[in-house]
């Protein structure tokens, strides 16, 4: 799907704009988490009173987070990452193979053109000698 986004440059959902949107979202999430951290720090220090509605919302957020200690989750995440890395590796190998193939073709074309030039020079020399 990444190649499709790169090819469809005319569309509004290009890869670069999607990455920029995700980056902006992550920055917003970071700022919200920092605000929560600062609030909780002030509550622990006793500088602010406890707002139970905020603590309930935080508890709901933490209850919705996935359990990262489950072996099944870790295994599936590892497999997905391994599959993605395999695709990247294969793409790199294919690109290198195509580059080598193009290099060999270029070298053969250069040799053929050099041989053609040498034949022309020999014919020219032979015609001048006669």
């Amino acid at each position: 799907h990444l190649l499709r986004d790169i090819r469809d440059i005319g569309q509004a959902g290009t890869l670069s704009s999607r990455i920029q949107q995700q980056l902006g979202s992550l920055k917003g999430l970071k700022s919200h988490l920092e605000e929560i951290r600062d609030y909780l720090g002030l509550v622990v220090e006793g500088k602010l009173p406890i707002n139970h509605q905020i603590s309930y919302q935080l508890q709901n957020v933490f209850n919705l987070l996935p359990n990262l200690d489950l072996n099944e989750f870790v295994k599936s995440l590892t497999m997905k990452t391994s599959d993605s890395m395999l695709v990247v590796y294969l793409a790199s190998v294919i690109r290198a193979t195509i580059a080598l193939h193009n290099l060999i073709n270029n070298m053969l074309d250069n040799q053929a053109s050099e041989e053609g030039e040498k034949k022309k020079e020999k014919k020219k020399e032979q015609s001048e000698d006669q």
Side-chain angles (χ1 to χ4, degrees), residues 1-129:
H1 69 280
L2 292 177
L3 292 177
R4 180 178 59 236
D5 287 341
I6 292 171
R7 287 187 190 139
D8 297 337
I9 294 175
Q11 293 183 354
T14 63
L15 180 62
S16 62
S17 67
R18 285 175 51 193
I19 290 173
Q20 289 295 328
Q21 290 172 350
Q22 287 181 349
L23 185 61
S25 297
L26 288 173
K27 286 180 181 178
L29 176 64
K30 181 182 178 231
S31 71
H32 288 303
L33 290 173
E34 287 171 348
E35 285 180 39
I36 292 170
R37 182 198 61 207
D38 294 341
Y39 167 77
L40 291 174
L42 292 173
V43 169
V44 168
E45 292 174 3
K47 295 180 180 177
L48 283 178
I50 295 175
N51 185 334
H52 293 290
Q53 191 63 30
I54 293 175
S55 63
Y56 293 147
Q57 290 296 328
L58 285 174
Q59 186 175 6
N60 285 336
V61 167
F62 288 120
N63 286 336
L64 291 173
L65 291 174
N67 185 1
L68 300 178
D69 292 334
L70 292 176
N71 286 334
E72 182 178 321
F73 177 77
V74 173
K75 183 178 179 183
S76 70
L77 189 62
T78 303
M79 286 177 60
K80 185 159 180 74
T81 304
S82 295
D83 291 347
S84 298
M85 290 296 121
L86 178 63
V87 169
V88 170
Y89 174 74
L90 287 175
S92 297
V93 168
I94 290 169
R95 284 181 55 192
T97 303
I98 290 171
L100 287 172
H101 181 71
N102 290 337
L103 181 66
I104 291 170
N105 284 342
N106 189 21
M107 190 173 63
L108 292 174
D109 290 342
N110 287 340
Q111 285 177 349
S113 66
E114 286 176 6
E115 288 176 7
E117 288 177 12
K118 287 180 182 178
K119 286 181 182 179
K120 285 181 184 177
E121 288 177 10
K122 285 183 181 180
K123 285 182 182 179
K124 191 176 181 179
E125 288 176 6
Q126 288 175 354
S127 65
E128 288 176 1
D129 288 341

